[in-house]
């Protein structure tokens, strides 16, 4: 027998032993019940005692057998000490079958470290290995003792847990604890990092289901969780199958659409809350797809980032917006959000400056927005890029403030010109006193740091009034009208006499639409 076959046989010993033990125990228990019904109490007691002793022996032997598997290098991940993918598949199918007999469900948590390759590339493989070991240790510490925890590949981990179908919240709590613990700052390569881990979940309840199905569904949920980017665990839903089909279409057509100019800018107005005056626009992307119809940036940009095309998309939108905005009133600015992966490009600042020069657009009218995710993998490189942009007169805004784990530290080390509060806080201000208190605290922090605070996601007049009362400087969102294309922006600016060479009209209302 070959070594591989021997290892497979060893891996299946606990499964066979457990199956035989369960079947044999059921038979012996049935015989004991019959003996009791026949009035043969003594033989029944002897049989039950023997069954209990055999069960104890099985459960005493199982840990030893499992330890032998863990000691087998072909079944164990050498870096983290967890089971590898092969051992996981064997053990997982055994758990699924055992839990099916007990009418229990099985859930798979799939975990992926956000931008791990960029981190390891910047700080070296030793730092990357330390991060993987930290993640593995955290999962093993939080998972129940009976859970099967494995490292699948690179920075992807799996955790298989059984649960009572009537109490799925146990799995939700485990996923939430892992998200919180794995998002806490950890010291790596002489720096404090707050790694974000995407967590996806899938489940089997009832007679149908296999390991392959669990992993396939969790993979789809993981893609959706990474695209959402908020670090919150996400369960698989059947609609994700359709989302995957859409993603494949976008991947196929994106490069051609970019080359042929089918991805065009859209503009969201930004308003001074004190005066109601229009001050600028945030640039977003729009794609009229021949099959999928109108696609907004939040649908295609995560796919572009995964394909390595997000930088090309952002620069194309920036170039088109600048070319269209050259004759706008000099007071009108453009804010361009950049995705995290672009800040791993050492030539990013030069590319933006080159685009400015080619378009003849003044640097002081451009604002670059970045989120804290952009700073995770390589803060030193991000600082270098930011300094290069600032030296050219380009403004810098920290976007979605409050959603990360080290916002205050980033305000201290990077020269931001503005902070934009996470839209989730703004949307919930009127209904949630805690959100209102957080927004007030952020505005007060901005006052103390002499840093203007802007609110994103404004939808109603009540929230706008509250923001104005607490001193928030700027706002943007659906309250001020829909996203506009270049022609619509020009019409709006013409009406407000904000095209170059046209005198500005008096401000009569803070509304831009309606």
């Amino acid at each position: 027998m070959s070594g591989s076959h021997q290892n497979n046989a060893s891996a299946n010993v606990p499964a066979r032993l457990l199956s035989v033990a369960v079947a044999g125990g059921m038979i012996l228990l049935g015989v004991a019940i019959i003996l009791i019904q026949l009035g043969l109490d003594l033989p029944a007691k002897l049989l039950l005692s023997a069954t209990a002793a055999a069960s104890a022996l099985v459960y005493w032997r199982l840990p030893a057998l499992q330890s032998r598997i863990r000691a087998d290098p072909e079944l164990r991940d050498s870096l983290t000490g967890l089971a590898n993918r092969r051992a996981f598949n064997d053990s997982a199918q055994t758990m699924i079958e055992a839990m099916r007999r007990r009418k229990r469900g099985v859930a798979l948590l799939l975990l992926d470290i956000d931008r791990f390759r960029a981190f390891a590339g910047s700080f070296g493989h030793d730092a990357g290995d330390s991060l993987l070991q930290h993640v593995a240790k955290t999962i093993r510490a939080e998972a129940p003792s009976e859970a099967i925890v494995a490292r699948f590949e690179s920075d992807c981990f799996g955790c298989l847990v059984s649960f009572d179908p009537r109490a799925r919240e146990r799995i939700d709590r485990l996923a939430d604890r892992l998200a919180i613990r794995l998002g806490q700052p950890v010291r790596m390569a002489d720096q404090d990092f707050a790694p974000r881990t995407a967590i996806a979940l899938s489940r089997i309840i009832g007679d149908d289901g296999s390991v392959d199905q669990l992993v396939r569904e969790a993979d789809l949920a993981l893609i959706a969780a990474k695209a959402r980017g908020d670090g919150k665990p996400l369960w698989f839903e059947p609609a994700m199958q359709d989302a995957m089909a859409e993603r494949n279409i976008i991947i196929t057509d994106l490069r051609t659409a970019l080359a042929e100019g089918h991805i065009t800018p859209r503009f969201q107005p930004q308003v001074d809350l004190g005066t109601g005056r229009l001050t600028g626009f945030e640039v977003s992307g729009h794609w009229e797809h021949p099959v999928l119809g109108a696609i907004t940036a939040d649908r295609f940009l995560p796919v572009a980032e995964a394909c390595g095309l997000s930088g090309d998309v952002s620069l194309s939108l920036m170039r088109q917006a600048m070319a269209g905005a050259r004759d706008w009133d000099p007071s009108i600015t453009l804010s361009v959000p950049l995705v995290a992966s672009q800040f791993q490009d050492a030539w990013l600042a030069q590319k933006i400056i080159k685009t400015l020069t080619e378009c003849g657009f003044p640097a002081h009218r451009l604002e670059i927005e970045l989120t804290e995710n952009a700073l995770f993998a390589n803060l030193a490189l991000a600082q270098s890029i930011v300094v290069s942009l600032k030296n050219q007169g380009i403004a810098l805004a920290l976007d979605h403030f409050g959603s990360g784990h080290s916002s205050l530290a980033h305000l201290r080390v990077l020269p931001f010109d503005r902070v934009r509060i996470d839209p989730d806080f703004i949307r919930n201000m009127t209904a949630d006193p805690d959100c209102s208190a957080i927004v007030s605290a952020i505005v007060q922090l901005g006052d103390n740091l002499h840093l203007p605070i802007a609110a994103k996601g404004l939808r109603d007049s009540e929230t706008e009034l509250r923001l104005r009362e607490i001193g928030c400087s700027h706002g943007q969102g659906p309250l001020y009208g829909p996203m506009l294309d270049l022609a619509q922006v020009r019409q709006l600016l013409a009406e407000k006499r904000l095209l170059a060479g046209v005198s500005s009209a008096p401000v009569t209302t803070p509304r831009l639409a309606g």
Side-chain angles (χ1 to χ4, degrees), residues 166-427:
R166 297 165 297 180
R168 199 189 79 176
E169 62 273 11
R170 172 177 177 250
I171 306 301
D172 291 324
R173 289 195 296 269
L174 171 60
D176 289 338
R177 288 198 308 272
L178 285 169
I180 292 170
R181 282 203 58 185
L182 292 173
Q184 291 175 348
V186 60
R187 192 73 174 174
M188 296 283 174
D190 297 323
Q191 294 191 44
D192 288 325
F193 293 97
R196 175 173 285 178
T197 304
I199 301 178
L201 303 98
S202 61
R203 61 187 178 273
I204 290 176
I205 300 175
D207 295 334
D208 297 329
S210 64
V211 176
D212 289 343
Q213 175 192 328
L214 272 176
V215 175
R216 184 172 62 253
E217 292 179 351
D219 272 332
L220 291 175
L222 186 63
I223 292 171
K226 293 171 74 172
R228 195 170 64 174
D230 59 4
K232 297 178 181 178
L234 184 64
W235 280 94
F236 167 79
E237 297 292 345
M240 292 175 183
Q241 301 277 8
D242 296 333
M244 176 55 66
E246 175 181 292
R247 176 185 174 89
N248 291 336
I249 293 174
I250 291 174
I251 290 173
T252 301
D253 297 342
L254 182 60
R255 197 178 295 274
T256 299
L258 189 59
E260 296 180 355
H262 295 159
I263 299 176
T264 57
R266 290 294 185 271
F267 302 84
Q268 184 172 66
Q270 297 171 327
V271 173
D272 185 314
L273 292 179
T275 65
R277 181 181 176 83
L278 175 67
T279 61
F281 295 90
E282 183 180 76
V283 180
S284 184
H286 180 88
W287 180 7
E288 285 291 342
H289 192 279
V291 175
L292 301 175
I295 309 178
T296 54
D298 60 345
R299 287 171 63 188
F300 68 77
L301 200 54
V303 181
E305 185 168 16
C307 296
L309 292 175
S310 57
D312 294 333
V313 172
S314 294
L315 288 174
S316 173
L317 293 172
M318 190 183 301
R319 184 175 293 106
Q320 293 177 69
M322 289 177 181
R326 281 179 297 193
D327 64 344
W328 297 356
D329 188 273
S331 66
I332 304 298
T333 62
L334 288 176
S335 295
V336 181
L338 300 186
V339 298
S341 59
Q342 290 180 259
F343 283 84
Q344 302 309 308
D345 179 3
W347 296 98
L348 175 62
Q350 285 76 8
K351 291 176 181 178
I352 293 174
I353 295 166
K354 181 174 182 288
T355 304
L356 277 171
T357 303
E358 291 173 348
C359 294
F361 192 80
H364 69 272
R365 289 179 57 197
L366 176 65
E367 180 181 75
I368 296 297
E369 298 179 10
L370 71 155
T371 65
E372 290 181 284
N373 286 343
L375 308 175
F376 163 64
N378 192 337
L379 180 59
L381 177 57
Q383 286 175 309
S384 174
I385 293 169
V386 165
V387 169
S388 297
L389 295 175
K390 292 283 290 182
N391 286 342
Q392 297 296 318
I394 298 170
L396 183 73
L398 180 59
D399 203 16
H400 288 75
F401 183 80
S403 62
H405 297 280
S406 53
S407 302
L408 297 179
H410 292 146
L411 288 181
R412 181 175 58 83
V413 300
L414 289 175
F416 291 105
D417 299 282
R418 190 184 313 278
V419 167
R420 302 191 188 281
I421 305 174
D422 189 288
D424 286 343
F425 293 121
I426 304 303
R427 282 193 290 267

Side-chain angles (χ1 to χ4, degrees), residues 21 50 83 120 134 156 159 171 182 338 360 365 377 434 467 490:
H134 164 72
C156 186
C159 177
I171 306 301
L182 292 173
L338 300 186
R365 289 179 57 197
D434 289 340
L467 288 167
R490 290 191 65 82

Side-chain angles (χ1 to χ4, degrees), residues 85-132:
R85 183 65 177 270
R86 187 178 115 199
F88 175 87
N89 288 342
D90 290 340
S91 303
Q93 194 59 48
T94 300
M95 176 185 280
I96 290 171
E97 293 168 1
M99 293 305 106
R100 184 176 292 138
R101 289 190 292 268
R102 294 175 56 189
K103 306 299 182 184
R104 289 177 62 83
V106 176
L108 172 63
L109 288 77
L110 205 58
L111 303 95
D112 185 273
I113 305 171
D114 197 14
R115 285 179 295 284
F116 171 75
R117 287 179 177 81
F119 172 83
S122 299
F123 294 100
H125 292 298
D126 288 344
D129 288 349
S130 296
L131 182 57
L132 291 172

